[in-house]
Amino acid sequence: ALTGNVQNTGLIEVPMGTTLREVIFDIGGGVKGGAFKAVQIGGPSGGCLIEDQLDRPLDFDSVKSFDAIMGSGGLVVMDDNTCMVEVARFFMSFTQRESCGKCVPCREGTKRMLEILERIVAGNGKPSDMDELRELADMIESTALCGLGKSAPKPVISTMNAFEEEYLEHINEKRCRTGVC
């Protein structure tokens, strides 16, 4: 499922090994509304990939090396008007609601991560938030009982790794470069 800020949205079928660049720019017709910024791959608990990751073959091993998942096969294309901190908050909100609540790491860990992300996008972040998000993500990924919990932190970690400066602007400068937050 190809969606987001892309010219041609819809369901597509491509062979394993096709690159994300081919999917987004050849099949999808390219980004609409701005320049390419990221693509969320694998559904709500997948990771966000950036420009220099678009030319690797799309297969299970390559995607795993990006700390993302194939998941549902969904691709959400984002342009340069997208706030990546808000993207992380949005996907964490979804996975937190989807948690069955059976295990504490997922039930409480995702709730805590969401609270931190909500504080950051509201302009009330603090410098320790980045470390706390990483610690919570590591704990959830290593101790959750199911696949949802183990992958829930991926949108946060992938956006923190690729767009750390946006997090720091929200936390230290109390501003969102895209004006979304």
Side-chain angles (χ1 to χ4, degrees):
L2 183 60
T3 189
N5 296 80
V6 65
Q7 295 292 334
N8 306 316
T9 61
L11 297 175
I12 62 169
E13 185 174 336
V14 295
M16 285 289 185
T18 303
T19 67
L20 284 168
R21 186 174 306 280
E22 291 172 300
V23 170
I24 295 166
F25 292 94
D26 296 343
I27 298 169
V31 179
K32 69 176 179 182
F36 175 84
K37 186 169 189 176
V39 59
Q40 170 80 4
I41 180 171
S45 58
C48 289
L49 306 182
I50 57 174
E51 179 84 30
D52 66 354
Q53 297 169 315
L54 295 182
D55 293 316
R56 299 268 308 269
L58 192 56
D59 58 47
F60 291 102
D61 292 332
S62 293
V63 171
K64 189 175 182 180
S65 73
F66 296 140
D67 202 27
I69 59 173
M70 292 288 276
S72 64
L75 299 171
V76 180
V77 178
M78 292 166 264
D79 69 11
D80 56 353
N81 296 308
T82 305
C83 173
M84 299 311 291
V85 183
E86 170 55 24
V87 166
R89 189 215 57 81
F90 174 82
F91 285 118
M92 182 53 66
S93 174
F94 178 85
T95 56
Q96 199 281 319
R97 282 192 320 270
E98 291 298 308
S99 173
C100 74
K102 182 177 179 179
C103 72
V104 174
C106 185
R107 181 182 69 235
E108 297 301 322
T110 59
K111 183 177 182 179
R112 182 71 186 121
M113 287 183 80
L114 179 58
E115 289 169 354
I116 294 168
L117 291 165
E118 287 174 340
R119 183 173 64 232
I120 292 171
V121 298
N124 299 315
K126 48 189 181 181
S128 61
D129 286 343
M130 299 283 285
D131 289 335
E132 191 170 352
L133 284 170
R134 289 186 196 283
E135 288 173 23
L136 285 164
D138 184 52
M139 181 272 304
I140 295 166
E141 287 179 335
S142 61
T143 60
L145 297 176
C146 76
L148 176 81
K150 290 186 180 303
S151 63
K154 288 193 182 303
V156 178
I157 294 304
S158 65
T159 57
M160 285 176 59
N161 289 340
F163 301 98
E164 181 177 6
E165 70 282 352
E166 286 190 39
Y167 280 83
L168 294 174
E169 287 169 2
H170 280 75
I171 293 168
N172 298 327
E173 300 172 28
K174 309 299 184 203
R175 73 175 184 91
C176 174
R177 68 174 60 180
T178 64
V180 173
C181 301

